[in-house]
Amino acid sequence: MKRMIFDEDHDAFRDSCAAFLAKHATPHLESFIENKGLPREFWLAAGAEGFLGLEIPEEFGGAEAGDFRFNAVLDEELAKLNAAISSCVAIHTDIAVPYIVDLGTDEQKKRWLPRCATGEIVTAIGMTEPSGGSDLAGLKTTAVRDGDEWVINGSKTFITNGFSADLVLTAVRTSPEKGAKGITMFALEATDEGFSRGRKLDKVGQAEADTSELFFENVRVGDDRIIGEVDRGFIYMMERLPQERLSCSVSNVAHAKQILAETIQYAHDRRAFNQSIGSLQHNKFLLAELVTRIEVAEAYVDKAVLAHTRGEATATDAAKAKWWSSEIQNDVLDHCVQLHGGYGFMNEYRVARAWRDARVSKIWAGSNEIMKELIGRDLGF
Ligand SMILES: Cc1cc2nc3c(=O)[nH]c(=O)nc-3n(C[C@H](O)[C@H](O)[C@H](O)COP(=O)(O)OP(=O)(O)OC[C@H]3O[C@@H](n4cnc5c(N)ncnc54)[C@H](O)[C@@H]3O)c2cc1C
């Protein structure tokens, strides 16, 4: 069925995303993996073509699209190519930058947004700590007032773009006695004294994403680094996590859909018992199930994206999209590996990498258990 949420403008934008990636990403995928990260040239090229500023106002150098479907198109084209590239770019465009756009002062916007749009500044979001990510309200990194400044101490872990980010939107405890109501978002620059990073973490998948620990040792910053108001950080995160979860959902479906299409081709080409392996009834029925599952998941995610574009999607809608799409993605990709036989277990095959890259989608952006907790609460439990 034709998808109903996109018009010609989105289609034209999709073509330009695909052309950009064919030139600036596809030929370099192996080097991105070897270097465990995206080179700055990739970010600068993406910025030059306007892909990084979808949410940034025109006066600060962005495209000010005002339509999340453009973000979704970009997320899909990136995910079709590679799940890790999609996560790195989406953390910047869909997740971190919007904090500054929505909550930043004029001075903060002037200082950071134009360079976020060009790719000179790469951003990250620092919520998770070594002691825990699901219980965000329990985070331990502190900012203590000292004269006109805040002194920040603590650490974050598993931070996407953490190794290369120039600016990290960081959740910090400012009022120890106030639990969730005592957290503030700070924008920390990588050049701030006392800011340091660990190595690029050695992950099971998503090798192209430079995921790092971050350390803050007596980082001194002024009020000009506070994003929004003191002690409202938890609310800001809760308001913005649904967009992060929708962005993940879009990528999850697009990623699995692409690899499934490649697997169907493989099932046509690969032969056993004098016929294509796809013609064997078990495999034919399995592929029929998998395409159906993907299309049904896509329909729900499309509906959620459209609702979000209209400002109508709830946190529960996003939680449903996130857990369901990640389960479908992982399930479909596991079958795709099986259909490739031994080749499916070889790193040089896209399907093997895709299978490993997908696993994290059930864990991050709020684990699937936390998604079900949110949905359950909405049911009144
Ligand atoms: C590759 C990668 C990239 C990431 N990128 C970022 C990033 O850019 N920024 C960032 O801030 N974080 C990032 N994360 C962190 C991610 O969001 C967390 O790993 C995730 O939220 C889970 O937190 P945790 O790892 O501390 O697990 P824990 O919170 O310790 O949870 C452990 C297990 O307990 C379960 N659990 C916890 N609470 C409940 C509950 N109430 N009910 C039922 N089960 C529960 C969880 O579902 C999980 O299965 C990333 C993680 C990875 C692996």
Side-chain angles (χ1 to χ4, degrees):
M1 276 185 289
K2 183 171 159 36
R3 296 169 72 191
M4 307 296 279
I5 66 165
F6 300 117
D7 62 27
E8 309 88 63
D9 289 341
H10 302 112
D11 294 343
F13 181 65
R14 186 183 294 284
D15 291 343
S16 53
C17 293
F20 169 78
L21 291 171
K23 185 168 168 201
H24 293 281
T26 308
H28 310 297
L29 284 179
E30 289 304 317
S31 78
F32 295 173
I33 290 172
E34 270 167 38
N35 297 321
K36 287 192 180 170
L38 307 180
R40 187 55 64 117
E41 301 86 72
F42 173 81
W43 289 100
L44 294 173
E49 303 226 9
F51 295 120
L52 303 182
L54 291 175
E55 301 231 350
I56 297 176
E58 282 178 17
E59 62 176 308
F60 300 113
E64 199 173 352
D67 177 345
F68 185 71
R69 287 171 294 179
F70 287 103
N71 304 46
V73 167
L74 178 59
D75 293 340
E76 284 186 354
E77 290 307 306
L78 290 160
K80 277 160 69 176
L81 183 66
N82 178 296
I85 297 179
S86 179
S87 64
C88 293
V89 174
I91 282 282
H92 179 75
T93 54
D94 298 357
I95 295 151
V97 165
Y99 276 86
I100 306 170
V101 173
D102 297 346
L103 303 165
T105 62
D106 252 15
E107 197 278 329
Q108 289 172 331
K109 290 178 186 178
K110 276 187 210 138
R111 176 172 179 167
W112 293 311
L113 289 181
R115 286 179 294 148
C116 289
T118 59
E120 289 162 278
I121 289 181
V122 171
T123 57
I125 179 104
M127 297 183 277
T128 306
E129 302 193 344
S131 58
S134 301
D135 183 11
L136 264 184
L139 64 83
K140 294 183 167 51
T141 296
T142 55
V144 176
R145 194 78 179 155
D146 181 27
D148 288 345
E149 292 181 320
W150 296 90
V151 184
I152 299 178
N153 279 287
S155 64
K156 300 286 171 183
T157 194
F158 307 141
I159 304 306
T160 303
N161 296 340
F163 200 81
S164 56
D166 308 285
L167 186 69
V168 183
L169 281 295
T170 312
V172 178
R173 177 161 304 289
T174 31
S175 296
E177 69 292 352
K178 284 165 61 180
K181 292 184 180 155
I183 294 169
T184 301
M185 294 304 294
F186 283 85
L188 300 183
E189 294 182 345
T191 49
D192 289 333
E193 202 172 320
F195 178 108
S196 64
R197 340 177 191 245
R199 66 200 160 88
K200 293 178 185 175
L201 294 170
D202 184 17
K203 307 188 295 296
V204 167
Q206 304 229 355
E208 306 85 335
D210 65 290
T211 314
S212 278
E213 285 178 294
L214 302 176
F215 303 102
F216 319 116
E217 201 182 333
N218 294 321
V219 177
R220 299 185 82 92
V221 292
D223 287 339
D224 60 337
R225 299 299 192 82
I226 291 174
I227 300 295
E229 293 175 30
V230 172
D231 285 347
R232 286 184 62 81
F234 192 78
I235 295 169
Y236 298 147
M237 287 188 281
M238 292 305 118
E239 286 170 349
R240 276 153 196 80
L241 277 165
Q243 174 151 315
E244 174 168 2
R245 288 168 187 156
L246 284 179
S247 170
C248 291
S249 307
V250 166
S251 300
N252 295 343
V253 173
H255 182 232
K257 187 177 178 182
Q258 174 64 29
I259 301 297
L260 178 58
E262 293 171 22
T263 302
I264 291 169
Q265 186 58 53
Y266 184 82
H268 278 293
D269 298 341
R270 180 77 174 170
R271 296 185 70 77
F273 301 99
N274 292 322
Q275 54 190 312
S276 70
I277 57 155
S279 308
L280 299 163
Q281 193 187 50
H282 169 83
N283 295 339
K284 182 163 58 180
F285 281 19
L286 175 62
L287 287 165
E289 283 177 25
L290 299 184
V291 291
T292 309
R293 276 193 229 173
I294 285 287
E295 284 182 32
V296 172
E298 186 179 70
Y300 183 83
V301 172
D302 279 358
K303 192 175 165 190
V305 165
L306 192 58
H308 184 60
T309 303
R310 294 174 176 157
E312 294 164 4
T314 65
T316 313
D317 298 331
K320 288 175 186 169
K322 192 271 177 184
W323 89 260
W324 184 258
S325 63
S326 60
E327 295 286 345
I328 294 288
Q329 175 196 25
N330 275 272
D331 197 29
V332 166
L333 290 174
D334 195 62
H335 285 298
C336 289
V337 167
Q338 188 72 15
L339 283 159
H340 276 77
Y343 295 106
F345 203 60
M346 298 298 121
N347 274 328
E348 70 206 72
Y349 272 68
R350 264 168 67 76
V351 68
R353 285 186 180 157
W355 176 65
R356 289 184 302 152
D357 289 349
R359 184 60 184 83
V360 74
S361 70
K362 295 201 271 188
I363 298 170
W364 66 13
S367 69
N368 283 5
E369 292 73 29
I370 294 298
M371 296 305 96
K372 291 173 196 175
E373 175 65 31
L374 295 176
I375 299 161
R377 271 187 224 164
D378 191 55
L379 298 174
F381 298 110

mmCIF file of all heavy atoms in Angstrom, residues 91 125-129 132-135 157-160 203 211 360 363-367 369-370 373, ligand 1:
data_model
loop_
_atom_site.group_PDB
_atom_site.id
_atom_site.type_symbol
_atom_site.label_atom_id
_atom_site.label_comp_id
_atom_site.label_asym_id
_atom_site.label_seq_id
_atom_site.Cartn_x
_atom_site.Cartn_y
_atom_site.Cartn_z
ATOM 1 N N ILE A 91 20.545 11.847 16.911
ATOM 2 C CA ILE A 91 20.834 12.404 18.248
ATOM 3 C C ILE A 91 21.066 13.914 18.121
ATOM 4 O O ILE A 91 20.614 14.710 18.946
ATOM 5 C CB ILE A 91 22.085 11.728 18.871
ATOM 6 C CG1 ILE A 91 21.726 10.355 19.428
ATOM 7 C CG2 ILE A 91 22.723 12.607 19.944
ATOM 8 C CD1 ILE A 91 21.014 10.328 20.764
ATOM 9 N N ILE A 125 23.617 14.096 23.832
ATOM 10 C CA ILE A 125 22.745 14.284 24.987
ATOM 11 C C ILE A 125 23.225 13.349 26.104
ATOM 12 O O ILE A 125 23.349 12.140 25.891
ATOM 13 C CB ILE A 125 21.257 14.060 24.627
ATOM 14 C CG1 ILE A 125 20.358 14.243 25.833
ATOM 15 C CG2 ILE A 125 20.982 12.698 24.024
ATOM 16 C CD1 ILE A 125 19.620 15.537 25.839
ATOM 17 N N GLY A 126 23.506 13.927 27.249
ATOM 18 C CA GLY A 126 24.048 13.157 28.370
ATOM 19 C C GLY A 126 23.030 12.997 29.485
ATOM 20 O O GLY A 126 22.879 13.893 30.320
ATOM 21 N N MET A 127 22.338 11.876 29.459
ATOM 22 C CA MET A 127 21.389 11.580 30.539
ATOM 23 C C MET A 127 21.896 10.404 31.374
ATOM 24 O O MET A 127 21.967 10.477 32.595
ATOM 25 C CB MET A 127 20.005 11.240 29.942
ATOM 26 C CG MET A 127 19.372 12.395 29.187
ATOM 27 S SD MET A 127 17.708 12.040 28.566
ATOM 28 C CE MET A 127 18.057 11.187 27.052
ATOM 29 N N THR A 128 22.253 9.300 30.702
ATOM 30 C CA THR A 128 22.589 8.052 31.397
ATOM 31 C C THR A 128 23.911 8.172 32.158
ATOM 32 O O THR A 128 24.879 8.745 31.658
ATOM 33 C CB THR A 128 22.693 6.903 30.367
ATOM 34 O OG1 THR A 128 21.475 6.864 29.624
ATOM 35 C CG2 THR A 128 22.931 5.566 31.056
ATOM 36 N N GLU A 129 23.934 7.574 33.355
ATOM 37 C CA GLU A 129 25.147 7.560 34.177
ATOM 38 C C GLU A 129 25.547 6.108 34.451
ATOM 39 O O GLU A 129 24.720 5.207 34.324
ATOM 40 C CB GLU A 129 24.875 8.291 35.495
ATOM 41 C CG GLU A 129 24.430 9.715 35.239
ATOM 42 C CD GLU A 129 24.432 10.602 36.478
ATOM 43 O OE1 GLU A 129 24.493 10.061 37.600
ATOM 44 O OE2 GLU A 129 24.391 11.829 36.278
ATOM 45 N N GLY A 132 23.094 4.168 36.411
ATOM 46 C CA GLY A 132 21.769 3.819 35.910
ATOM 47 C C GLY A 132 21.218 4.786 34.886
ATOM 48 O O GLY A 132 21.523 5.982 34.924
ATOM 49 N N GLY A 133 20.409 4.227 33.970
ATOM 50 C CA GLY A 133 19.803 5.045 32.929
ATOM 51 C C GLY A 133 18.282 5.048 33.000
ATOM 52 O O GLY A 133 17.635 6.052 32.692
ATOM 53 N N SER A 134 17.703 3.921 33.431
ATOM 54 C CA SER A 134 16.234 3.862 33.464
ATOM 55 C C SER A 134 15.683 4.813 34.512
ATOM 56 O O SER A 134 14.668 5.489 34.279
ATOM 57 C CB SER A 134 15.770 2.439 33.792
ATOM 58 O OG SER A 134 16.250 1.547 32.835
ATOM 59 N N ASP A 135 16.348 4.871 35.662
ATOM 60 C CA ASP A 135 15.889 5.717 36.761
ATOM 61 C C ASP A 135 16.536 7.098 36.642
ATOM 62 O O ASP A 135 17.410 7.474 37.428
ATOM 63 C CB ASP A 135 16.262 5.050 38.092
ATOM 64 C CG ASP A 135 15.757 5.830 39.279
ATOM 65 O OD1 ASP A 135 14.939 6.763 39.082
ATOM 66 O OD2 ASP A 135 16.191 5.520 40.406
ATOM 67 N N THR A 157 27.596 7.916 30.827
ATOM 68 C CA THR A 157 28.132 6.812 30.019
ATOM 69 C C THR A 157 27.192 6.467 28.870
ATOM 70 O O THR A 157 26.030 6.895 28.873
ATOM 71 C CB THR A 157 28.419 5.566 30.883
ATOM 72 O OG1 THR A 157 29.236 4.659 30.128
ATOM 73 C CG2 THR A 157 27.138 4.844 31.321
ATOM 74 N N PHE A 158 27.723 5.699 27.940
ATOM 75 C CA PHE A 158 27.002 5.256 26.733
ATOM 76 C C PHE A 158 26.537 6.448 25.890
ATOM 77 O O PHE A 158 25.464 6.381 25.273
ATOM 78 C CB PHE A 158 25.757 4.424 27.086
ATOM 79 C CG PHE A 158 25.983 3.261 28.007
ATOM 80 C CD1 PHE A 158 25.060 2.950 28.997
ATOM 81 C CD2 PHE A 158 27.108 2.464 27.875
ATOM 82 C CE1 PHE A 158 25.254 1.858 29.848
ATOM 83 C CE2 PHE A 158 27.308 1.377 28.725
ATOM 84 C CZ PHE A 158 26.370 1.071 29.712
ATOM 85 N N ILE A 159 27.303 7.532 25.842
ATOM 86 C CA ILE A 159 26.800 8.728 25.158
ATOM 87 C C ILE A 159 27.137 8.676 23.660
ATOM 88 O O ILE A 159 28.306 8.719 23.264
ATOM 89 C CB ILE A 159 27.363 10.007 25.819
ATOM 90 C CG1 ILE A 159 27.025 10.001 27.324
ATOM 91 C CG2 ILE A 159 26.828 11.256 25.127
ATOM 92 C CD1 ILE A 159 25.548 9.807 27.659
ATOM 93 N N THR A 160 26.077 8.602 22.854
ATOM 94 C CA THR A 160 26.228 8.596 21.391
ATOM 95 C C THR A 160 26.818 9.938 20.945
ATOM 96 O O THR A 160 26.393 10.982 21.451
ATOM 97 C CB THR A 160 24.857 8.368 20.721
ATOM 98 O OG1 THR A 160 24.322 7.145 21.217
ATOM 99 C CG2 THR A 160 24.968 8.301 19.207
ATOM 100 N N LYS A 203 31.564 -1.826 21.403
ATOM 101 C CA LYS A 203 30.182 -2.293 21.444
ATOM 102 C C LYS A 203 29.973 -3.544 20.596
ATOM 103 O O LYS A 203 30.760 -3.831 19.699
ATOM 104 C CB LYS A 203 29.249 -1.178 20.927
ATOM 105 C CG LYS A 203 29.450 0.156 21.641
ATOM 106 C CD LYS A 203 28.391 1.170 21.254
ATOM 107 C CE LYS A 203 28.426 1.593 19.797
ATOM 108 N NZ LYS A 203 29.648 2.301 19.401
ATOM 109 N N THR A 211 30.574 6.058 20.747
ATOM 110 C CA THR A 211 29.857 6.064 22.019
ATOM 111 C C THR A 211 30.895 6.127 23.139
ATOM 112 O O THR A 211 31.826 5.333 23.143
ATOM 113 C CB THR A 211 29.034 4.761 22.139
ATOM 114 O OG1 THR A 211 28.355 4.536 20.914
ATOM 115 C CG2 THR A 211 28.050 4.820 23.285
ATOM 116 N N VAL A 360 20.499 -3.044 20.137
ATOM 117 C CA VAL A 360 20.417 -1.965 21.132
ATOM 118 C C VAL A 360 19.075 -1.236 21.105
ATOM 119 O O VAL A 360 18.701 -0.556 22.062
ATOM 120 C CB VAL A 360 21.595 -0.973 20.948
ATOM 121 C CG1 VAL A 360 21.406 -0.096 19.715
ATOM 122 C CG2 VAL A 360 21.784 -0.123 22.184
ATOM 123 N N ILE A 363 17.021 -1.528 23.995
ATOM 124 C CA ILE A 363 17.607 -1.077 25.267
ATOM 125 C C ILE A 363 17.584 0.445 25.403
ATOM 126 O O ILE A 363 17.241 0.983 26.454
ATOM 127 C CB ILE A 363 19.075 -1.574 25.375
ATOM 128 C CG1 ILE A 363 19.127 -3.105 25.363
ATOM 129 C CG2 ILE A 363 19.755 -1.010 26.624
ATOM 130 C CD1 ILE A 363 20.530 -3.696 25.219
ATOM 131 N N TRP A 364 17.966 1.143 24.324
ATOM 132 C CA TRP A 364 18.177 2.592 24.503
ATOM 133 C C TRP A 364 16.893 3.398 24.325
ATOM 134 O O TRP A 364 15.848 2.851 24.009
ATOM 135 C CB TRP A 364 19.277 3.106 23.587
ATOM 136 C CG TRP A 364 19.027 3.069 22.094
ATOM 137 C CD1 TRP A 364 17.818 2.862 21.447
ATOM 138 C CD2 TRP A 364 19.997 3.257 21.074
ATOM 139 N NE1 TRP A 364 17.994 2.901 20.096
ATOM 140 C CE2 TRP A 364 19.316 3.139 19.839
ATOM 141 C CE3 TRP A 364 21.362 3.513 21.069
ATOM 142 C CZ2 TRP A 364 19.984 3.282 18.627
ATOM 143 C CZ3 TRP A 364 22.013 3.647 19.860
ATOM 144 C CH2 TRP A 364 21.332 3.529 18.653
ATOM 145 N N ALA A 365 17.054 4.707 24.541
ATOM 146 C CA ALA A 365 15.933 5.664 24.442
ATOM 147 C C ALA A 365 14.817 5.285 25.415
ATOM 148 O O ALA A 365 13.648 5.574 25.170
ATOM 149 C CB ALA A 365 15.409 5.737 23.009
ATOM 150 N N GLY A 366 15.199 4.648 26.504
ATOM 151 C CA GLY A 366 14.229 4.061 27.433
ATOM 152 C C GLY A 366 14.043 2.621 27.013
ATOM 153 O O GLY A 366 13.622 2.343 25.878
ATOM 154 N N SER A 367 14.415 1.690 27.901
ATOM 155 C CA SER A 367 14.334 0.267 27.530
ATOM 156 C C SER A 367 12.871 -0.113 27.257
ATOM 157 O O SER A 367 11.943 0.595 27.674
ATOM 158 C CB SER A 367 14.885 -0.597 28.667
ATOM 159 O OG SER A 367 13.994 -0.524 29.763
ATOM 160 N N GLU A 369 11.204 -2.365 28.607
ATOM 161 C CA GLU A 369 10.476 -2.575 29.867
ATOM 162 C C GLU A 369 9.933 -1.230 30.375
ATOM 163 O O GLU A 369 8.789 -1.141 30.838
ATOM 164 C CB GLU A 369 11.394 -3.202 30.930
ATOM 165 C CG GLU A 369 11.810 -4.638 30.630
ATOM 166 C CD GLU A 369 12.839 -4.761 29.504
ATOM 167 O OE1 GLU A 369 13.633 -3.813 29.313
ATOM 168 O OE2 GLU A 369 12.849 -5.787 28.807
ATOM 169 N N ILE A 370 10.756 -0.190 30.239
ATOM 170 C CA ILE A 370 10.297 1.139 30.684
ATOM 171 C C ILE A 370 9.148 1.618 29.782
ATOM 172 O O ILE A 370 8.191 2.238 30.254
ATOM 173 C CB ILE A 370 11.480 2.146 30.694
ATOM 174 C CG1 ILE A 370 12.516 1.726 31.758
ATOM 175 C CG2 ILE A 370 10.996 3.577 30.932
ATOM 176 C CD1 ILE A 370 12.026 1.715 33.199
ATOM 177 N N GLU A 373 6.157 0.010 31.061
ATOM 178 C CA GLU A 373 5.801 0.651 32.335
ATOM 179 C C GLU A 373 4.970 1.920 32.047
ATOM 180 O O GLU A 373 3.920 2.148 32.654
ATOM 181 C CB GLU A 373 7.113 0.989 33.080
ATOM 182 C CG GLU A 373 6.982 1.764 34.365
ATOM 183 C CD GLU A 373 6.265 1.000 35.468
ATOM 184 O OE1 GLU A 373 6.360 -0.235 35.508
ATOM 185 O OE2 GLU A 373 5.563 1.667 36.267
HETATM 186 C C1 LIG B 1 24.892 2.134 22.163
HETATM 187 C C2 LIG B 1 24.185 2.950 23.205
HETATM 188 C C3 LIG B 1 23.997 4.315 22.981
HETATM 189 C C4 LIG B 1 23.365 5.111 23.948
HETATM 190 N N1 LIG B 1 23.261 6.470 23.752
HETATM 191 C C5 LIG B 1 22.852 7.246 24.781
HETATM 192 C C6 LIG B 1 22.908 8.685 24.689
HETATM 193 O O1 LIG B 1 23.289 9.248 23.650
HETATM 194 N N2 LIG B 1 22.558 9.408 25.775
HETATM 195 C C7 LIG B 1 22.137 8.828 26.933
HETATM 196 O O2 LIG B 1 21.840 9.550 27.883
HETATM 197 N N3 LIG B 1 22.041 7.477 27.045
HETATM 198 C C8 LIG B 1 22.401 6.688 26.019
HETATM 199 N N4 LIG B 1 22.347 5.321 26.128
HETATM 200 C C9 LIG B 1 21.903 4.749 27.380
HETATM 201 C C10 LIG B 1 20.564 4.029 27.333
HETATM 202 O O3 LIG B 1 19.525 4.949 27.164
HETATM 203 C C11 LIG B 1 20.457 3.197 28.623
HETATM 204 O O4 LIG B 1 21.375 2.117 28.488
HETATM 205 C C12 LIG B 1 19.068 2.710 28.896
HETATM 206 O O5 LIG B 1 18.222 3.776 29.233
HETATM 207 C C13 LIG B 1 19.040 1.668 30.056
HETATM 208 O O6 LIG B 1 19.740 2.147 31.168
HETATM 209 P P1 LIG B 1 20.840 1.218 31.851
HETATM 210 O O7 LIG B 1 21.768 0.755 30.798
HETATM 211 O O8 LIG B 1 21.447 1.952 32.992
HETATM 212 O O9 LIG B 1 20.052 -0.045 32.391
HETATM 213 P P2 LIG B 1 19.314 -0.142 33.803
HETATM 214 O O10 LIG B 1 18.535 1.067 34.051
HETATM 215 O O11 LIG B 1 20.326 -0.545 34.827
HETATM 216 O O12 LIG B 1 18.333 -1.362 33.531
HETATM 217 C C14 LIG B 1 18.787 -2.718 33.534
HETATM 218 C C15 LIG B 1 17.602 -3.612 33.178
HETATM 219 O O13 LIG B 1 16.572 -3.437 34.154
HETATM 220 C C16 LIG B 1 15.360 -3.098 33.506
HETATM 221 N N5 LIG B 1 14.588 -2.162 34.320
HETATM 222 C C17 LIG B 1 14.999 -1.008 34.891
HETATM 223 N N6 LIG B 1 13.966 -0.414 35.519
HETATM 224 C C18 LIG B 1 12.894 -1.199 35.325
HETATM 225 C C19 LIG B 1 11.517 -1.135 35.743
HETATM 226 N N7 LIG B 1 11.053 -0.105 36.437
HETATM 227 N N8 LIG B 1 10.706 -2.156 35.388
HETATM 228 C C20 LIG B 1 11.151 -3.201 34.677
HETATM 229 N N9 LIG B 1 12.430 -3.320 34.250
HETATM 230 C C21 LIG B 1 13.279 -2.331 34.571
HETATM 231 C C22 LIG B 1 15.783 -2.431 32.193
HETATM 232 O O14 LIG B 1 14.751 -2.484 31.249
HETATM 233 C C23 LIG B 1 16.972 -3.264 31.822
HETATM 234 O O15 LIG B 1 16.539 -4.433 31.180
HETATM 235 C C24 LIG B 1 22.898 4.505 25.136
HETATM 236 C C25 LIG B 1 23.063 3.130 25.344
HETATM 237 C C26 LIG B 1 23.701 2.359 24.394
HETATM 238 C C27 LIG B 1 23.895 0.894 24.674
#
